[in-house]
Amino acid sequence: MSRPRRKKATEVIEFFQTLDSDVEETDSDGEFLIQVLMRTVTMPTQDLQRLRDRLLNACDRLVMWHLRLHLYLHLYLHLHLHLHLHLHLQVTGLRISLDILRVIKTETNRYAASELGRRQLPPESLYKNWSTVTLKELWGFFTIWVVHMSLVKKPCLKDYWSTAEIIRTSFAPKIMSRNHFMQILGLLHLNDNTTYVPLRETGNDPLHKLRPIIDPLSATFRDLVTPRQKLVIDEAICPWRGNLRFRVYMKDKPNKWGIKLYMLCESASAYVCAFEIYAGDPTISNKPVDVCRRMMTPLMDKGYILYTDNYYTCPALYQEMIAGGTMIVGTVRANRVGMPKDLAALNLRTGESAYRRQDKLVALRWQDKKSVNLLTTVHDPRRRVTVRSRAQTKEKPQVIQDYTLNMRGVDRSDQLMAYMPFHRRTMKWWKKLFGHLFTLMMVQASILYNRKQTSTGGKPLPISKFIQKLGQGMAEEFLGWQEGDSEDPAPTQLDRLHSRCFPDYIPSTEKKKRPTRSCKVCYEKAKQPGSTMKRKETSFWCPYHKVPLCVVPCFQDFHTKKEYCN
């Protein structure tokens, strides 16, 4: 006789059966729940959100018995979304960059074979004993080149392997020999030179050297986090004083010569949601309106507020943003096309303001020591606030104060990157830019890690402490890496406690369709002196760590406790 409570769950079961034919009704509530969770592990965020809404609507109509199932699924989906939206502590690490690392390995070995095979090397050459680089060696190389050398600054590269007592450090020699590091640095390559299209020919890509890195990195920044409401667009710069066709001069930056990056950031946290590298490509428009349009297109019609400076701000851009459901605030040059001329001609006394309105667009002029002109689609120009400083108390329009507080996202990101810059000199512009992007990844990881810590009541880490933890984690991954390029790094304790893992069935074998193995946690607890616990068989495991585990509570204990056998 079937149980009434299973009939009450018919709607939920049918929903999951339409989602995936592998989800079947079972006699065990636990079996059913595990199948449900397994179906949602690989779903993208938008599908998870739709699933959550539909599932909650279905569960709300069930009898009280299903409150437990309701809460389990509710908690799981919230947890999965939370993990999906936050980078792992090692955002530059294995689960994100392993595919990129394989590309770098392939192209570095290709370039080495091409360069070393076409010339006779003298006996004293550094590359005489070159051997094919492996994933493990590349991992150690980046641990030293970007992370370690950002934290520990020495006059030249060879000093990191120096045995002189006054400057000796042990980290770099423990990871890799000096000569092998210099070999990889000299032959490092990210793309196939044979696919490069020469300048002034159709299809030329000025950023060809970095294209396999730029595209995945930009997609990761864009898709990983749903940005908060207030965004800022501005320019940043990667320092470079060598010859380069698209090198620019920016007089207001601390490093005035370099490679320009357009960045779209969260105002409060300085997280970079999207970026573009200016490369002087004639096929891509770099007009301020076009740059804003490209970077904001995925975020249109979602209620965001964009803050811009007077380089981007113009009435034409604002009308386009209004039509796209995006609010916008920014300073503007008084002589921009479309600005009201009578407003610019007003002679205001200090502290006075005037405005003109056209539908949702407001042009405001406020007289401080100098005239300040803004466009806004958000604020009431009549509202004023009192701002207190050490020297005086000043009354100003609310839009002025709001702009001052929020127009700092990109500058804050630059500030964080300046604390631990990639400062190694190189003759290759693309290596400098690659190191700059790697540093940006570490800053992004620090921002998201601190956001997660704050939301859970933890203590945020300064950028220097965070990069220290990152470097220690990468070193542990390196030292635990199994030999052979086809293998992933052996999971370390740090990785075990911070990785995003989900239970799965142990793969079937020729003899058993549903094999079982001894749970590792139960087995370790049973071995403890005086323990009365017996080992248990389980049909589930952690696919990443390849460890059999009971779903409850051993799976959680293994991934959250340093000493899980106590």
Side-chain angles (χ1 to χ4, degrees):
M1 182 176 178
S2 60
R3 293 172 292 180
R5 63 180 187 178
R6 297 300 296 167
K7 292 180 180 179
K8 298 292 185 181
T10 300
E11 186 174 358
V12 179
I13 295 170
E14 288 179 351
F15 171 71
F16 278 101
Q17 285 176 337
T18 59
L19 177 69
D20 195 300
S21 58
D22 292 341
V23 177
E24 301 173 352
E25 184 175 357
T26 64
D27 292 333
S28 166
D29 294 328
E31 288 272 329
F32 171 73
L33 181 59
I34 290 299
Q35 290 190 51
V36 167
L37 300 187
M38 288 170 60
R39 295 285 71 75
T40 58
V41 166
T42 58
M43 293 178 65
T45 305
Q46 292 181 350
D47 291 345
L48 274 172
Q49 291 170 336
R50 287 195 294 267
L51 169 61
R52 175 184 174 275
D53 294 340
R54 292 180 62 185
L55 181 62
L56 294 182
N57 289 336
C59 286
D60 284 340
R61 294 193 292 271
L62 301 177
V63 295
M64 286 302 294
W65 172 87
H66 281 90
L67 183 60
R68 182 174 61 181
L69 175 61
H70 180 170
L71 293 177
Y72 276 166
L73 294 175
H74 193 167
L75 174 63
Y76 173 79
L77 294 175
H78 268 300
L79 176 62
H80 186 73
L81 281 170
H82 178 74
L83 292 173
H84 187 80
L85 295 178
H86 288 281
L87 278 169
H88 182 264
L89 169 64
Q90 300 181 57
V91 68
T92 55
L94 171 70
R95 307 326 296 177
I96 289 179
S97 65
L98 191 57
D99 290 339
I100 296 177
L101 208 62
R102 289 193 177 99
V103 172
I104 297 174
K105 184 202 78 168
T106 300
E107 297 305 330
T108 299
N109 288 328
R110 189 202 308 275
Y111 179 71
S114 171
E115 288 296 303
L116 302 182
R118 66 184 177 86
R119 58 187 178 187
Q120 189 70 28
L121 297 175
E124 67 275 8
S125 172
L126 176 67
Y127 304 102
K128 190 68 177 179
N129 61 344
W130 165 263
S131 59
T132 302
V133 70
T134 64
L135 292 180
K136 177 180 179 180
E137 291 168 343
L138 281 176
W139 186 265
F141 169 80
F142 288 123
T143 303
I144 297 172
W145 189 45
V146 182
V147 181
H148 177 56
M149 292 185 180
S150 294
L151 292 167
V152 181
K153 296 175 176 57
K154 296 187 179 183
C156 66
L157 286 175
K158 293 183 178 180
D159 289 342
Y160 289 90
W161 287 266
S162 174
T163 57
E165 197 68 32
I166 194 169
I167 60 172
R168 184 176 65 183
T169 53
S170 61
F171 185 86
K174 181 175 65 175
I175 299 294
M176 182 177 293
S177 70
R178 184 194 67 189
N179 284 352
H180 195 41
F181 176 88
M182 300 300 289
Q183 285 178 339
I184 297 175
L185 180 61
L187 296 172
L188 183 69
H189 233 63
L190 311 181
N191 208 348
D192 187 359
N193 284 347
T194 61
T195 61
Y196 175 71
V197 178
L199 183 65
R200 296 187 180 86
E201 290 188 12
T202 304
N204 170 258
D205 181 7
L207 298 173
H208 175 269
K209 293 280 189 182
L210 287 166
R211 187 56 62 189
I213 304 299
I214 294 172
D215 291 343
L217 191 61
S218 179
T220 299
F221 289 174
R222 181 182 64 249
D223 299 336
L224 191 68
V225 173
T226 301
R228 293 174 179 175
Q229 185 185 28
K230 296 181 178 181
L231 304 175
V232 178
I233 189 168
D234 207 347
E235 304 92 40
I237 195 167
C238 170
W240 178 257
R241 296 191 68 88
N243 291 330
L244 184 63
R245 182 167 57 89
F246 48 87
R247 185 187 66 167
V248 300
Y249 176 79
M250 303 178 71
K251 64 182 180 64
D252 295 328
K253 296 292 184 181
N255 297 295
K256 302 186 185 308
W257 291 96
I259 303 167
K260 182 164 69 172
L261 296 90
Y262 299 108
M263 287 189 172
L264 181 68
C265 297
E266 287 185 351
S267 172
S269 67
Y271 176 81
V272 178
C273 310
F275 70 92
E276 281 189 9
I277 300 172
Y278 170 75
D281 190 344
T283 63
I284 300 176
S285 172
N286 285 285
K287 294 179 180 179
V289 174
D290 295 328
V291 172
C292 281
R293 183 188 299 116
R294 286 197 302 271
M295 301 189 79
M296 284 298 297
T297 295
L299 302 175
M300 288 293 197
D301 291 313
K302 296 182 180 178
Y304 284 101
I305 302 176
L306 179 64
Y307 292 83
T308 62
D309 62 16
N310 60 18
Y311 176 74
Y312 299 93
T313 306
C314 65
L317 171 65
Y318 276 46
Q319 294 293 356
E320 187 171 326
M321 291 291 124
I322 292 172
T326 299
M327 296 171 281
I328 188 164
V329 183
T331 55
V332 62
R333 298 167 188 170
N335 60 353
R336 282 280 196 185
V337 175
M339 285 292 292
K341 295 182 179 181
D342 63 322
L343 186 65
L346 292 177
N347 187 16
L348 302 175
R349 289 179 294 182
T350 301
E352 291 184 340
S353 63
Y355 67 92
R356 300 290 183 269
R357 182 188 295 274
Q358 182 182 10
D359 297 328
K360 296 182 180 179
L361 180 61
V362 174
L364 180 138
R365 180 186 175 107
W366 176 61
Q367 186 65 37
D368 195 20
K369 292 181 180 179
K370 294 182 179 180
S371 295
V372 181
N373 297 279
L374 289 100
L375 289 179
T376 178
T377 64
V378 180
H379 302 86
D380 182 346
R382 296 166 294 184
R383 295 193 62 177
R384 302 177 73 86
V385 295
T386 301
V387 180
R388 294 179 177 84
S389 64
R390 294 181 180 179
Q392 59 183 337
T393 299
K394 185 183 295 185
E395 190 179 73
K396 59 177 68 174
Q398 184 189 33
V399 60
I400 300 287
Q401 180 66 6
D402 184 56
Y403 178 83
T404 303
L405 294 176
N406 290 289
M407 187 61 194
R408 58 187 179 186
V410 176
D411 293 337
R412 175 62 176 158
S413 179
D414 287 346
Q415 180 185 10
L416 292 173
M417 293 186 67
Y419 291 148
M420 295 292 157
F422 176 78
H423 66 288
R424 302 315 315 180
R425 298 186 67 177
T426 175
M427 298 293 290
K428 305 289 187 181
W429 66 266
W430 64 265
K431 289 184 180 179
K432 184 70 172 181
L433 183 55
F434 177 57
H436 185 84
L437 294 177
F438 205 116
T439 305
L440 177 60
M441 282 196 287
M442 294 191 291
V443 170
Q444 296 279 85
S446 173
I447 291 170
L448 293 184
Y449 176 77
N450 286 337
R451 180 185 298 181
K452 181 179 178 182
Q453 288 291 97
T454 304
S455 65
T456 56
K459 184 178 179 181
L461 285 177
I463 183 68
S464 59
K465 297 293 184 183
F466 177 84
I467 294 179
Q468 287 179 31
K469 281 183 171 291
L470 178 65
Q472 292 168 2
M474 292 180 71
E476 286 187 26
E477 296 283 2
F478 174 83
L479 297 175
W481 198 302
Q482 302 295 330
E483 293 298 331
D485 285 345
S486 61
E487 299 182 10
D488 287 353
T492 62
Q493 176 165 282
L494 178 70
D495 182 54
R496 174 171 64 83
L497 298 178
H498 289 278
S499 58
R500 186 181 71 180
C501 299
F502 302 96
D504 198 355
Y505 286 114
I506 297 174
S508 59
T509 63
E510 295 181 359
K511 295 183 179 180
K512 287 188 177 182
K513 184 177 181 181
R514 189 60 60 83
T516 61
R517 289 168 58 185
S518 178
C519 171
K520 181 175 179 62
V521 174
C522 294
Y523 178 74
E524 294 294 336
K525 288 182 178 179
K527 288 198 310 182
Q528 298 298 312
S531 174
T532 59
M533 189 173 183
K534 296 181 180 180
R535 66 183 184 90
K536 296 179 182 179
E537 294 287 316
T538 179
S539 59
F540 296 96
W541 74 334
C542 174
Y544 171 45
H545 295 97
K546 304 187 187 312
V547 174
L549 296 164
C550 298
V551 176
V552 179
C554 299
F555 193 91
Q556 179 179 352
D557 291 347
F558 180 80
H559 290 94
T560 57
K561 297 180 180 179
K562 288 185 177 180
E563 302 295 335
Y564 56 80
C565 57
N566 293 336

